[in-house]
Amino acid sequence: MQTRRDLLKSSVGITLAAGVITALPTSVLAKASIIGKQAVSFYRLKLGDYEITALSDGTVKLPMAKIYKNIKEADAETYLEGHFQARDTETSVNAFLINTGDELVLIDAGTGDLMGPALGKLVSNIEASGYKISEIDHVVLTHIHADHSGGLVVNGKRVFENAVLHVNQREAEFWLKADAEAKADKVLGPQIAQAEKCVGPYAEAGKLETFEDNAAPIPGFGSVLHAGHTPGHSGIIVESKGEKIVFWGDIAHGDVLQFDQPEVTVDFDVDQKAAAASRAIAFADAADQKYLVAGAHHAFPGIGHVRRDDSNYDWIPLVYKASY
């Protein structure tokens, strides 16, 4: 039982403490500094017996209303603003690591140092996730654009020194065997030079293998040709114990507009008409079959489902799980 004497002692202590606090320099009581950084960006899930790790290469602000094609810029701006996306839309660049229990397979390789300091974080996030880049056995590209192949090299040397690089055959031929006319093109020329810079060291080392349309890039993995964005743009199919995910690269840019209007293309599409047609097929198949989809430019971690709605389709992000 607390006595009056105890209470008086407590009161004196509190008074003294208050006096000490009042006498402390104001710097001691300064508010905490704003950190300004996100947590390390990786996310794991199980697919049957496999472990999949989604990896962020970073995010970058892009003027998507200007980049979208087959729609008026003002209409794209209005649509994006209506979905709480600013004129410069924060756009994710994602890659994915699959641990089969026997091998580590990386789908796409990020931007490296090609697209500025906001990106190029793939390697650090791989290592933060508990893996080493030297442990990766295979790198499979959905296509060879710089935001998917830029991370393959640094200072002309292979980043994934123990990995074999796998690319669709027609994709490799388009970028690595281009003629003089294509190399002189103001749009394609710089992209061809980047492709040669990023993929070339693997070819020179005998570490580049190609796969045919709709064929297996490596045993146990499948592919589906979705030509248009680039000639050999391919979704990579992974299945385990009846569960399925398709890593579909750049079928969609963003999570909203193209799902309502699949006919809308982007400036980066090599063949605009074919890209729109491939997107329509990919959306319909994902909605009908209800498998998981992983996209390079959906908001990180970029994994979810596609469903039909009264205005075409919806992108439904995967519900976050703290553990599996």
Side-chain angles (χ1 to χ4, degrees):
M1 178 177 176
Q2 194 172 44
T3 66
R4 182 171 180 274
R5 183 185 182 89
D6 294 329
L7 288 171
L8 287 171
K9 284 183 179 180
S10 298
S11 298
V12 171
I14 291 169
T15 302
L16 287 172
V20 171
I21 291 172
T22 302
L24 286 174
T26 55
S27 61
V28 174
L29 300 177
K31 294 180 179 179
S33 300
I34 294 174
I35 303 300
K37 293 182 179 179
Q38 298 286 18
V40 175
S41 299
F42 65 88
Y43 178 74
R44 297 196 214 280
L45 68 152
K46 286 296 292 280
L47 185 91
D49 289 331
Y50 297 170
E51 179 186 76
I52 295 173
T53 304
L55 299 154
S56 175
D57 191 59
T59 66
V60 62
K61 292 183 181 294
L62 294 177
M64 290 306 301
K66 296 181 182 296
I67 291 170
Y68 285 129
K69 300 300 175 185
N70 206 24
I71 184 175
K72 293 180 180 178
E73 183 179 332
D75 291 342
E77 283 185 1
T78 298
Y79 184 98
L80 292 173
E81 288 172 0
H83 288 75
F84 304 99
Q85 295 188 16
R87 186 168 299 177
D88 288 335
T89 305
E90 200 74 44
T91 305
S92 291
V93 177
N94 308 319
F96 304 90
L97 189 63
I98 299 95
N99 187 340
T100 69
D102 296 314
E103 293 183 308
L104 280 178
V105 182
L106 180 67
I107 309 294
D108 288 333
T111 63
D113 60 2
L114 295 183
M115 298 178 70
L119 299 172
K121 305 182 188 308
L122 178 63
V123 168
S124 62
N125 282 328
I126 289 173
E127 293 178 344
S129 76
Y131 292 111
K132 298 177 181 178
I133 56 174
S134 60
E135 296 175 320
I136 295 174
D137 301 292
H138 302 277
V139 180
V140 183
L141 300 186
T142 58
H143 61 299
I144 303 183
H145 273 161
D147 53 329
H148 299 256
S149 65
L152 289 172
V153 298
V154 61
N155 297 324
K157 296 183 179 180
R158 289 176 289 122
V159 170
F160 307 99
E161 56 186 10
N162 295 323
V164 177
L165 178 64
H166 304 266
V167 184
N168 172 277
Q169 175 67 37
R170 70 170 73 201
E171 183 77 0
E173 289 183 357
F174 181 82
W175 296 110
L176 303 179
K177 296 182 179 180
D179 58 24
E181 183 180 356
K183 290 182 178 181
D185 186 89
K186 291 182 179 180
V187 175
L188 283 179
Q191 296 180 52
I192 291 168
Q194 285 181 343
E196 292 173 341
K197 172 186 173 183
C198 297
V199 178
Y202 290 81
E204 292 166 6
K207 293 280 192 175
L208 174 63
E209 295 183 2
T210 60
F211 56 92
E212 297 297 325
D213 298 347
N214 305 309
I218 60 175
F221 284 41
S223 75
V224 53
L225 180 67
H226 286 311
H229 182 61
T230 62
H233 179 264
S234 297
I236 307 304
I237 304 166
V238 177
E239 297 183 76
S240 177
K241 286 195 168 179
E243 298 181 42
K244 176 178 178 179
I245 187 169
V246 177
F247 301 91
W248 67 5
D250 286 9
I251 280 293
H253 289 76
D255 298 349
V256 287
L257 193 151
Q258 288 180 304
F259 286 89
D260 278 343
Q261 302 179 54
E263 71 278 7
V264 171
T265 55
V266 293
D267 194 36
F268 317 123
D269 291 333
V270 173
D271 185 330
Q272 304 270 324
K273 186 176 180 180
S278 286
R279 179 163 37 261
I281 292 170
F283 282 1
D285 193 62
D288 292 343
Q289 301 299 322
K290 296 180 171 58
Y291 49 71
L292 278 172
V293 168
H297 302 301
H298 298 314
F300 183 78
I303 301 173
H305 291 91
V306 180
R307 72 168 186 178
R308 297 180 187 274
D309 66 6
D310 56 5
S311 60
N312 266 323
Y313 299 95
D314 268 342
W315 170 250
I316 310 298
L318 193 69
V319 174
Y320 176 82
K321 293 182 180 180
S323 63
Y324 61 73

